[in-house]
C-alpha cells in the first residue's frame, strides 16, 4: 500500500538512508567530499598541478580544499541560485561562471545490451573519440576552470585504449576530480593498475542484480556471454589491488536500478559489495513514471485514489519509488543541468543534458565531424537489419529525432557555454517554461517535477 513501512536496511559500514529515489549505505555526497579532503595529498592533481602552482605545500593544500568544497557546494546550490536570480548568459560570462563538470564521451560503443538502456531504443554508434579531440577538450576544460571531468556518457569507457592516458593528462592540467562509470567487464588486473596509476578519483560501477541469474538477465553481452562470476571477480580483484598498493584513489561506488527482478534482491546486492566498495546504492528504474499499464492492479488503484484525493487529471505523471510507493506530480520545475554541465559526444556534438541520449538537441559543435555524422547512426540500423553479430538484441532501435539545428560552425566550449543556443534553453527554464523546449517536454528526469 501507499503508506507501507519502508524496509530498514542495516549494514556494516552505516545505515541505509530512506528516500523516494535512493537507498544507500551512507550519505555518499558528504562521504565523498570528506574522503577527498582527507586524502588531498594523494590526489594526482595536487601532486602534478597544485604543488607546482603554489609556493608552499600548505598553500597548495589550502587552495585545493577551498576550490574542491566550492565545486561540490556549487553542484547543489549554484544552479538554483542562477535560476532564482534569473541570470543571463551575459551575467554568467561576466562573473566567469563555468560548467561544474564536462562529460566527454570517450566511447559510445558498449559491449552489453541491457534491456533497460536507452541504446535498446535509440541507435548509438560503436565509436570511440579521436585522441586529439579528447586532449583538446581537456585543455579547454582546464582553461575554463572546470573542476571535474567525467570520461563517459552513452558507452563503456574502458573500451577506449587511451582512457588512462586521458585521465592522467587531465590530472596534470589541474582537474580536481576525474570520474568514470563502468560495467567492469573489461576491468582486468592490467586495466585496474592503469586506472590507479592514472590518478582516477571516482569509479562508479553499474551492476544490476543480487544473484547470478538476475544479473545475467539484466546485463546480457552483445558480442558474447557476459558472466556474473567474471564481472564480480573483476570488482573484488580491483579492491584487492587497490588495497595491496595502499592506494587511496579511486573512491568507488556501485549502483543498481530497481526493476521487478532486482527489487527483491536488495539485501543480496548489499551483501555482495558492502566490504569491497566504498558506497553501495540502489535507485528506482523509472525516474518519472511510464504507462499506467506498467503498474500492477494494486498500484493502479492507489494511483486513481491519489488522483481523486488531489483533484488531478488522469494523465498526471507518477513515480514509483524504491519502496513501491506511488507519488504524483503536481507540476514541473526548472531543470538545473543546463546551468551545471556540458556533454560532448565522440564526434563533437554538445548536448544540453545527459537525458538527451541521441544529442538530438545539440547546443553547438566542437568538431566538424558532427556536421555530417548521420552515416554513423544509419550504419547501426543497417547492422541490425542484416542481423550482424552484436546487433541481435537491438531490434527495436531507431534514429533519434532531431530537435535543434544550430549553425554548423566549430566553436570552443566557452563560446557554446555562453552562447545563444543554450541561453534560449536556460531562459525558458528560468521562466518555468521548460516544456516549451521540445526535448524537455516529455523528460523522464524526476528532478524536473515536483512531487506530492
Amino acid at each position: 500500500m501507499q503508506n507501507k513501512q519502508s524496509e530498514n536496511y542495516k549494514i556494516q559500514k552505516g545505515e541505509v538512508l530512506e528516500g523516494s529515489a535512493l537507498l544507500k549505505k551512507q550519505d555518499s555526497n558528504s562521504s565523498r567530499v570528506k574522503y577527498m579532503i582527507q586524502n588531498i595529498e594523494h590526489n594526482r592533481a595536487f601532486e602534478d598541478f597544485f604543488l607546482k602552482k603554489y609556493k608552499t605545500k600548505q598553500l597548495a593544500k589550502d587552495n585545493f580544499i577551498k576550490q574542491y568544497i566550492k565545486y561540490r557546494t556549487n553542484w547543489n546550490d549554484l544552479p538554483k541560485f542562477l535560476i532564482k536570480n534569473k541570470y543571463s548568459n551575459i551575467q554568467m560570462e561576466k562573473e566567469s561562471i563555468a560548467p561544474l563538470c564536462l562529460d566527454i564521451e570517450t566511447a559510445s560503443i558498449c559491449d552489453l545490451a541491457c534491456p533497460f538502456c536507452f541504446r535498446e531504443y535509440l541507435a548509438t554508434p560503436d565509436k570511440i573519440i579521436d585522441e586529439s579531440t579528447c586532449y583538446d577538450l581537456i585543455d579547454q576544460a582546464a582553461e575554463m576552470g572546470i573542476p571535474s571531468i567525467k570520461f563517459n556518457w552513452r558507452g563503456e569507457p574502458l573500451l577506449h585504449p587511451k582512457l588512462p592516458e586521458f585521465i592522467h593528462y587531465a590530472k596534470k592540467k589541474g582537474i580536481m576530480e576525474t570520474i568514470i562509470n563502468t560495467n567492469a567487464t573489461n576491468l582486468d588486473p592490467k586495466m585496474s593498475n592503469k586506472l590507479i596509476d592514472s590518478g582516477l578519483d571516482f569509479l562508479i560501477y553499474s551492476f544490476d542484480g543480487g544473484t547470478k541469474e538476475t544479473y545475467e538477465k539484466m546485463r546480457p553481452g552483445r558480442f558474447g556471454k557476459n558472466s556474473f562470476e567474471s564481472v564480480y571477480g573483476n570488482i573484488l580483484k580491483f579492491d584487492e589491488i587497490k588495497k595491496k598498493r595502499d592506494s587511496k584513489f579511486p573512491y568507488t561506488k556501485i549502483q543498481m536500478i530497481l526493476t521487478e527482478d532486482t527489487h527483491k534482491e536488495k539485501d543480496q546486492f548489499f551483501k555482495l559489495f558492502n566490504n569491497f566498495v566504498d558506497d553501495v546504492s540502489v535507485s528506482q528504474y523509472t525516474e518519472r513514471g511510464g504507462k499506467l499499464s506498467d503498474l500492477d492492479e494494486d498500484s493502479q488503484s492507489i494511483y486513481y485514489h491519489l488522483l481523486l484525493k488531489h483533484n488531478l487529471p488522469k494523465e498526471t505523471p507518477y513515480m514509483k519509488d524504491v519502496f513501491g510507493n506511488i507519488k504524483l506530480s503536481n507540476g514541473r520545475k526548472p531543470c538545473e543541468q543546463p546551468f551545471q554541465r556540458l556533454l560532448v559526444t565522440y564526434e563533437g556534438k554538445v548536448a544540453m543534458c545527459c537525458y538527451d541520449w541521441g544529442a538530438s538537441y545539440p547546443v553547438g559543435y566542437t568538431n566538424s565531424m558532427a556536421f555530417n555524422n548521420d552515416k554513423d547512426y544509419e550504419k547501426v540500423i543497417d547492422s541490425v537489419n542484416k542481423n550482424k553479430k552484436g546487433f541481435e538484441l537491438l531490434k527495436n532501435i531507431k534514429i533519434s529525432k532531431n530537435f535543434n539545428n544550430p549553425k554548423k560552425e566549430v566553436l570552443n566550449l566557452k563560446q557554446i557555454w555562453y552562447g545563444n543556443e543554450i541561453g534560449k534553453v536556460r531562459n525558458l527554464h528560468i521562466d518555468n517554461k521548460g516544456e516549451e523546449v521540445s526535448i524537455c517536454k516529455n523528460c523522464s528526469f524526476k528532478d524536473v517535477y515536483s512531487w506530492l
Side-chain angles (χ1 to χ4, degrees):
M1 295 295 291
Q2 171 69 11
N3 295 317
K4 70 179 181 180
Q5 186 175 358
S6 301
E7 294 93 329
N8 184 26
Y9 291 95
K10 294 273 191 175
I11 51 183
Q12 287 185 344
K13 295 184 180 178
E15 183 174 332
V16 176
L17 306 179
E18 295 183 10
S20 63
L22 206 63
L23 284 170
K24 48 193 175 183
K25 77 177 188 181
Q26 56 189 338
D27 182 348
S28 58
N29 184 55
S30 62
S31 296
R32 172 179 160 195
V33 172
K34 183 179 179 181
Y35 188 89
M36 288 287 289
I37 292 173
Q38 287 176 338
N39 295 286
I40 276 176
E41 293 183 28
H42 298 274
N43 188 302
R44 287 296 293 268
F46 178 79
E47 178 184 347
D48 293 345
F49 181 83
F50 280 79
L51 281 177
K52 295 177 181 178
K53 181 177 180 179
Y54 297 98
K55 294 180 179 180
T56 68
K57 185 176 182 179
Q58 189 59 50
L59 195 57
K61 194 172 182 178
D62 290 344
N63 275 277
F64 193 107
I65 291 173
K66 180 181 178 180
Q67 291 178 40
Y68 186 79
I69 291 177
K70 181 181 178 182
Y71 149 55
R72 291 314 304 168
T73 301
N74 281 348
W75 186 264
N76 295 313
D77 298 343
L78 184 59
K80 295 179 180 66
F81 173 83
L82 297 175
I83 291 168
K84 180 180 179 181
N85 291 281
K86 298 183 180 295
Y87 260 58
S88 67
N89 278 12
I90 294 174
Q91 287 175 286
M92 288 178 65
E93 185 170 14
K94 185 178 180 180
E95 297 181 27
S96 299
I97 297 173
L100 296 169
C101 184
L102 173 65
D103 295 53
I104 301 176
E105 185 179 70
T106 51
S108 62
I109 184 174
C110 186
D111 53 349
L112 299 185
C114 306
F116 48 82
C117 181
F118 276 119
R119 69 187 310 122
E120 294 296 295
Y121 308 99
L122 296 174
T124 314
D126 290 336
K127 294 285 187 176
I128 62 174
I129 198 169
D130 175 76
E131 288 181 50
S132 61
T133 298
C134 190
Y135 286 124
D136 179 60
L137 289 171
I138 296 169
D139 285 339
Q140 291 186 52
E143 186 177 343
M144 287 184 71
I146 298 175
S148 69
I149 296 179
K150 189 168 186 279
F151 285 92
N152 67 280
W153 180 18
R154 298 176 295 182
E156 170 49 50
L158 298 189
L159 293 177
H160 199 302
K162 296 293 184 179
L163 177 68
E165 285 91 333
F166 295 154
I167 295 168
H168 188 200
Y169 184 78
K171 298 307 293 181
K172 289 193 293 184
K173 298 293 287 188
I175 303 300
M176 288 188 291
E177 189 165 74
T178 52
I179 309 162
I180 65 168
N181 189 312
T182 178
N183 58 35
T185 57
N186 293 276
L187 190 65
D188 58 23
K190 184 177 180 180
M191 177 56 74
S192 296
N193 279 293
K194 283 185 176 182
L195 289 177
I196 292 171
D197 289 338
S198 73
L200 178 66
D201 300 292
F202 192 18
L203 174 61
I204 306 169
Y205 300 114
S206 294
F207 190 102
D208 296 292
T211 64
K212 171 182 172 66
E213 179 184 13
T214 299
Y215 171 80
E216 293 183 357
K217 176 183 177 182
M218 297 292 291
R219 292 191 163 264
R222 280 185 61 195
F223 307 105
K225 179 177 171 56
N226 182 34
S227 163
F228 170 91
E229 291 86 358
S230 175
V231 177
Y232 183 59
N234 286 347
I235 295 172
L236 268 57
K237 187 66 177 178
F238 183 88
D239 181 65
E240 179 186 326
I241 292 171
K242 183 182 165 187
K243 288 175 179 174
K244 187 175 181 179
R245 293 185 53 171
D246 194 26
S247 177
K248 301 299 182 183
F249 291 102
Y251 182 87
T252 57
K253 175 180 178 177
I254 194 161
Q255 53 194 20
M256 176 178 77
I257 62 167
L258 292 179
T259 65
E260 186 177 351
D261 294 297
T262 63
H263 200 283
K264 60 182 178 293
E265 296 183 358
K266 295 190 290 288
D267 284 321
Q268 294 98 311
F269 179 71
F270 281 109
K271 289 175 183 177
L272 281 173
F273 297 108
N274 183 50
N275 294 321
F276 308 104
V277 181
D278 297 314
D279 179 35
V280 184
S281 64
V282 298
S283 59
Q284 67 226 51
Y285 172 30
T286 49
E287 289 281 13
R288 196 271 309 155
K291 298 177 181 177
L292 189 58
S293 57
D294 293 339
L295 293 174
D296 58 38
E297 189 173 334
D298 286 344
S299 295
Q300 287 190 40
S301 177
I302 293 168
Y303 175 79
Y304 286 120
H305 170 74
L306 291 171
L307 288 180
L308 291 172
K309 178 180 177 181
H310 297 289
N311 193 29
L312 293 170
K314 289 184 180 180
E315 64 272 15
T316 298
Y318 71 85
M319 176 175 67
K320 191 172 185 179
D321 70 18
V322 295
F323 305 116
N325 300 323
I326 302 295
K327 296 180 180 295
L328 300 188
S329 169
N330 63 347
R332 296 288 295 267
K333 299 192 300 183
C335 181
E336 298 182 2
Q337 281 209 29
F339 302 87
Q340 193 178 55
R341 66 204 292 190
L342 283 178
L343 302 95
V344 185
T345 65
Y346 71 93
E347 78 270 50
K349 277 186 180 181
V350 181
M352 65 174 194
C353 76
C354 65
Y355 278 80
D356 180 13
W357 184 267
S360 53
Y361 197 107
V363 292
Y365 307 100
T366 63
N367 196 301
S368 60
M369 290 189 298
F371 297 163
N372 300 297
N373 67 325
D374 291 346
K375 289 182 179 179
D376 286 350
Y377 293 82
E378 291 167 358
K379 186 177 179 181
V380 179
I381 300 293
D382 184 60
S383 296
V384 170
N385 292 337
K386 292 179 178 177
N387 202 35
K388 288 187 176 180
K389 185 174 177 58
F391 295 87
E392 301 94 332
L393 299 176
L394 305 177
K395 299 294 186 184
N396 297 318
I397 64 170
K398 61 182 179 181
I399 295 177
S400 59
K401 181 180 177 181
N402 191 42
F403 290 96
N404 195 39
N405 291 291
K407 183 179 178 181
K408 286 183 168 54
E409 60 180 341
V410 174
L411 301 174
N412 60 40
L413 292 177
K414 186 174 182 179
Q415 290 171 318
I416 294 170
W417 179 249
Y418 299 119
N420 291 330
E421 294 296 332
I422 197 168
K424 289 185 291 186
V425 173
R426 288 183 184 135
N427 289 338
L428 285 169
H429 279 281
I430 283 173
D431 293 335
N432 210 21
K433 297 178 181 178
E435 286 187 311
E436 293 184 18
V437 183
S438 50
I439 192 69
C440 300
K441 186 173 183 179
N442 296 310
C443 180
S444 61
F445 187 32
K446 66 178 179 59
D447 287 359
V448 298
Y449 291 80
S450 56
W451 302 98
L452 294 171

